[in-house]
Amino acid sequence: MDTMEERREAIVALVNERSSITFAEIKKELQNVSDMTIRTDLKALDKAKRIVRIHGGAKSVENVIGNDDLLGRRAVRNVEAKQIIARKATSLVRPNTTVFIDSGSTTTEFANIFPDVNCVIFTNSLSCAVELCRLTNARVYVLGGLMNRNSLSAVGHAVLQEMEPVNFDAAFLGTTSFTYDLGFTCESAEDNAVKRAALSKAAQTVVLMDSSKIGRRGSFTMCGLDKVTDIVMDDNVPEEFRQECVKNHVSIY
């Protein structure tokens, strides 16, 4: 690279192209550039909000925004896909059951059109709780704890303690990303703990995920493909992903 600006632009391009990249991968691409120079570049680019530094590498700004941005901002992305997913998910709602609804923009869209049937609903999501207020036949329990302002959800020990004695017939879970090696992931350790608790307590585990999240790497693994029973997606399901679902006996809608 002839100049510092060209080198840093090359790093930004690499990060954006791969969404998430390790320090070793950057070093391999930028031959004859010292480790110290690369670290200085990453620090400067992170400060300029061109990339996001993580332990051992970097992520694209779009990747992080897609995973851990304020719920209000996420809600305006892929709106049509979220609506399709929500409509499909309603077909999995059964009367006289106990369900858990996770936090997130897609699950909030689902809560907005949740059928008004006789059932018991638990949620740690403030936005879902607001949408569920319209129901007259369901009993809605809002789990309380420390508020995550990004996901507008309650997290922490108090939430996990409230969930402990409850057995869910179905858990409707959101995710921020999926790769075949890491499984379903998110960017908040606290949110992830709630998701994992719901998974362990549910007979049927339903993941609501739009197709744009496939191929993105997240920081905290919720579970692998083999741990869910159903996945509800938009109409752009990659064939490779569909085949993996078949292999793992996962129903896809």
Side-chain angles (χ1 to χ4, degrees):
M1 303 293 169
D2 293 333
T3 67
M4 178 184 69
E5 288 77 13
E6 289 176 338
R7 186 180 65 247
R8 291 182 177 178
E9 286 299 326
I11 292 174
V12 172
L14 276 171
V15 175
N16 287 340
E17 178 185 349
R18 303 188 190 184
S19 186
S20 179
I21 191 170
T22 66
F23 184 88
E25 289 171 330
I26 297 172
K27 184 172 174 58
K28 183 178 178 181
E29 294 292 334
L30 301 183
Q31 298 180 8
N32 302 319
V33 178
S34 70
D35 289 9
M36 182 177 294
T37 297
I38 294 174
R39 289 194 178 92
T40 300
D41 288 343
L42 291 176
K43 183 176 181 180
L45 291 169
D46 179 82
K47 185 176 181 180
K49 302 188 185 302
R50 302 287 309 281
I51 62 161
V52 177
R53 280 199 305 166
I54 60 172
H55 180 70
K59 285 186 176 182
S60 69
V61 173
E62 180 58 32
N63 180 294
V64 175
I65 286 176
N67 288 339
D68 198 30
D69 196 11
L70 292 173
L71 179 68
R73 295 178 186 172
R74 295 204 309 267
V76 299
R77 299 190 188 99
N78 302 320
V79 174
E80 185 177 354
K82 296 178 196 297
Q83 292 172 341
I84 290 170
I85 293 166
R87 287 195 296 270
K88 289 182 178 180
T90 59
S91 68
L92 299 177
V93 176
R94 301 287 181 264
N96 305 311
T97 57
T98 299
V99 303
F100 174 81
I101 302 179
D102 191 15
S103 63
S105 55
T106 305
T107 52
T108 300
E109 189 69 36
F110 171 57
N112 176 253
I113 59 172
F114 194 94
D116 193 6
V117 297
N118 182 37
C119 64
V120 179
I121 305 171
F122 286 81
T123 185
N124 68 319
S125 166
L126 302 182
S127 57
C128 286
V130 170
E131 299 295 345
L132 295 168
C133 283
R134 63 185 171 76
L135 302 180
T136 58
N137 293 310
R139 284 192 296 162
V140 180
Y141 289 86
V142 183
L143 302 170
L146 178 68
M147 188 179 76
N148 179 332
R149 63 180 291 272
N150 285 346
S151 59
L152 294 182
S153 63
V155 296
H157 177 71
V159 174
L160 301 178
Q161 194 171 41
E162 286 183 64
M163 293 173 69
E164 201 279 328
V166 187
N167 300 308
F168 304 116
D169 294 295
F172 295 89
L173 302 165
T175 186
T176 52
S177 46
F178 173 85
T179 59
Y180 298 107
D181 58 335
L182 298 180
F184 299 98
T185 54
C186 70
E187 293 303 304
S188 164
E190 293 79 10
D191 277 332
N192 195 52
V194 176
K195 294 173 190 289
R196 290 174 68 91
L199 273 165
S200 70
K201 303 292 293 182
Q204 180 183 18
T205 51
V206 185
V207 173
L208 311 184
M209 177 181 75
D210 72 74
S211 56
S212 70
K213 295 176 179 178
I214 296 176
R216 291 184 173 182
R217 296 171 64 84
S219 299
F220 301 97
T221 295
M222 176 174 74
C223 67
L225 194 57
D226 60 324
K227 299 299 183 183
V228 304
T229 59
D230 306 270
I231 300 176
V232 185
M233 298 183 65
D234 52 76
D235 297 329
N236 299 310
V237 183
E239 185 57 32
E240 181 186 7
F241 183 78
R242 193 181 293 278
Q243 291 303 319
E244 286 297 315
C245 288
V246 171
K247 280 188 205 177
N248 287 277
H249 308 289
V250 178
S251 298
I252 189 164
Y253 298 86

